Amino acid sequence: MTSNGGVAPDGGGTSNGGGTSNGARAKARARMSRGKTLAALSLLTLLGFIVVGRLTHTGDAAGTSTGGVSDFLGATGARTVPVSQVGLNQLAAEAGHARVAINFTWLLMTGYLVLFMQAGFALLTAGLTRAKNAGHMFMLNFAAFVVALIAYYAVGFAFHFGGVAPIANLGGVGHLSALKGLGTNWGLLGWKGFFLQSGGTYDVGSMALFLFEVVFMETAGYIIIGAIAERITFAGLIFSELAIGAVIYPVFGNWVWGGGWLAHLGQTLHLGHGAVDFAGSGVVHATGGFAALALAMALGPRIGKFNADGTPNAIPGHNLGYVVTGTFILLFGWMGFNPGSTLGATDLRISVVAVNTLLAACFGAAAAMAWTNWKWGKPDVSMACNGMLAGCVAITAPCAFVAPWAAVLIGSVAGVIVCYGVWFFDHRARVDDPCGAVSVHGLCGVWGVLSVGLFADGTYGGGWNGVDGTVRGLLYGSPGQLFAQVAMIVVNLAWAFGATFLLISVAKRFMAIRVSPEVELEGLDMAEFGAVCYPEFVLKAGPGQAHTTERVGPATAKPGPMVKLDAELAESLVEETTRRVLELVRAGERPPD
């Protein structure tokens, strides 16, 4: 037997070292064995799949045989298709039913996408405002959807589409056939579909149309929230949403989409194809933007927004993550907003619409980033997001009528318009619009409507609004179309701004539409709804600092000196600020109610 220091029998080193080496080799061989086993099993499994695949027969992998006469026979119970007019009629009816079913499915699915935009806008507006009002902003978005839908269900849908029939993609919706107005081609209001019941509108086609159109109305309804943020009462919001859902949005919508008089300017005044707005740059976005402008002016600016000399102060939002996330959700929803406006997947123009929408959105964001980088040396996150939304808004009207190069131009211009618009309303008009809603939706909505009259290239829109030929803009030989678009903008501004300002001015006489200065300074969450969005944080001001937030421990924990100090600082700050504001109020400098 060798010593510890001797050579092992195999010459591999000391006896202890040799034992270790032998163990390692044994483990390595075991690992190699397991690896080989796994590789062999994988190879056998692959060979098994190949053999099974060769021995079995595929179904209709290419889809060329799925769906056909057998489906017709199964639906009708017949054994063969009768070689007669009756048989052909039956086959045609089944094909027509399938076509409408495809369009229903498309319309409902895209409507669900537009519905999801509500979540995006809630995040966007909350992120662009202060933490002390975050709960209030989320609740405004939530309540706006609920209240505006009720108003639209009761009367708005009837006013909007009660005389729109026929719509071929949806099987005609023949019950929506009562258009009231001043004669042929001068319709003012629809008159069927109140409570989705009157005039035979308890009907599958009417219901499909309602779902898609009510979420469009909701878009106009929540646009206003961006401009009235951080100072409107909940009662004021309820009143505004009822007005938009019942009257302001559906009446103008009828004039363009419901068979009303603006749509027929091509027949009455020979202005192109009349007012053309494929998915709502004007009907939805400019209407919401102009209404938002009226409300922002009626409410007045937030406390501290403007100095005595009129110069504005920046009031940054509290969560850029919300802003970016909300923007992407809105872009995703726009893939239903614009392509869904064909009202059917059987209109293959949906691919052009979708691509144009993405192009305009991205070029709008790029333009806003470039503009802010040129202006301030760094690209601005919130303005980049507004640039993307501006591109979406601007392409919404022309998306089906223009080529991709025009979508790029339209989106790029929109990205610059929104930047200048936000600057203009802050520095020149002195209108406090916390989220830039008027610029994004109002100004860029106008640009989108004009773009139809400029860039529509005549490749789409045959017979649009009852006028022969396709839709063409000024660059393609139809100056009349541009005049029709200008007329639509003028009417849109007069109606949406004028009606909103009038209604809110009357409402101010009977209800408070703006919170008190004390509530505005403290934050609207607790005062309006009895809860705050971030209960585990308290407001704190450090030496020479603006408000910051500091996390407070669990409620079950014993309050420490820091927690007590935070509470005292917050309370003293509110008291001091309230005292100063009341002095301004007594001096007659209180913002208008």
Side-chain angles (χ1 to χ4, degrees), residues 252-266:
F252 184 75
N254 176 273
W255 297 345
V256 180
W257 286 347
W261 66 279
L262 283 173
H264 289 121
L265 290 178

Side-chain angles (χ1 to χ4, degrees), residues 435-463:
C435 301
V438 179
S439 300
V440 172
H441 302 278
L443 298 185
C444 293
V446 167
W447 168 235
V449 172
L450 284 175
S451 295
V452 177
L454 293 171
F455 304 114
D457 61 9
T459 58
Y460 183 76

